[in-house]
Amino acid sequence: MYFAALLARTEDGWEASDTELDDVETLSDLADLAREASPDEDTVLVLIEQEDAWFGVVRVDGEEDPRIYVSDAAAAARSSYGEILLTDELLGRDPGDDDDLDALDLDGTEDGESDDDKDGAEGGDGAAGAAEAVPHGPVGDAEVLDDLGVSEKELRSMSGDAVGEIAEALGASDVLETVR
């Protein structure tokens, strides 16, 4: 089960809203959703959590590029919402690396030949190979919340209800609980 919330910092403190990520397909979509939550270009945090498996923090400050932290990249890679956060840049890959490999014909079939038999036998291997290319453990900007009172060390040590811990450290636990 997933939980996602937006925390927007305003001059009156933090405002929380729950958010549906069903229509979000890319990091740009997610950043746009965050920007809509704060018309004054204040800091907006998108907090995403999948039970005890992983959590992610996306910080959007006005029109700047989003800053991202993911607690466990390998676990997030197995999640449709996690895949949104795991950009090539975040994982240290050149954009399009996967596309270049997909363009190569490495399975031994000729163009036009059916490789349905191979797909059936090896279908899971491709997904496992992609997941293995993603590092186990945290990736991204672990200092994403430093100036808000959550140090890199604290962020890396969070588990369980990390979203709640972050909200508590920010003084926003009450507003977060209203959307939970």
Side-chain angles (χ1 to χ4, degrees):
M1 184 166 153
Y2 293 93
F3 175 71
L6 294 173
L7 286 179
R9 190 164 87 180
T10 67
E11 59 188 40
D12 299 326
W14 291 98
E15 291 180 10
S17 57
D18 61 343
T19 185
E20 281 294 322
L21 299 179
D22 293 341
D23 295 332
V24 174
E25 295 180 8
T26 66
L27 182 60
S28 290
D29 293 343
L30 189 61
D32 290 344
L33 184 70
R35 288 183 183 106
E36 288 171 13
S38 178
D40 295 331
E41 296 190 6
D42 291 318
T43 297
V44 178
L45 302 176
V46 181
L47 305 174
I48 303 172
E49 182 175 70
Q50 182 184 7
E51 292 186 345
D52 292 334
W54 67 275
F55 70 92
V57 177
V58 178
R59 179 178 177 160
V60 177
D61 293 302
E63 292 301 316
E64 292 181 28
D65 288 340
R67 295 171 58 193
I68 305 164
Y69 174 81
V70 176
S71 66
D72 186 338
R78 294 185 294 271
S79 154
S80 58
Y81 298 132
E83 287 179 342
I84 293 169
L85 305 181
L86 297 175
T87 63
D88 287 336
E89 182 181 343
L90 189 72
L91 296 173
R93 298 189 295 216
D94 290 330
D97 276 354
D98 294 338
D99 296 337
D100 293 341
L101 289 176
D102 290 340
L104 297 175
D105 182 18
L106 301 176
D107 66 358
T109 62
E110 297 292 327
D111 285 345
E113 239 181 63
S114 172
D115 57 346
D116 289 345
D117 295 338
K118 288 187 177 201
D119 284 345
E122 299 176 4
D125 291 347
E132 287 175 18
V134 176
H136 290 275
V139 295
D141 184 354
E143 297 176 352
V144 67
L145 301 174
D146 266 1
D147 65 324
L148 300 175
V150 181
S151 71
E152 175 180 353
K153 183 179 178 183
E154 290 171 310
L155 190 62
R156 288 184 186 271
S157 68
M158 289 182 181
S159 62
D161 182 18
V163 168
E165 290 180 50
I166 291 168
E168 187 173 323
L170 298 174
S173 57
D174 289 341
V175 294
L176 180 68
E177 285 306 313
T178 63
V179 297
R180 257 198 184 182

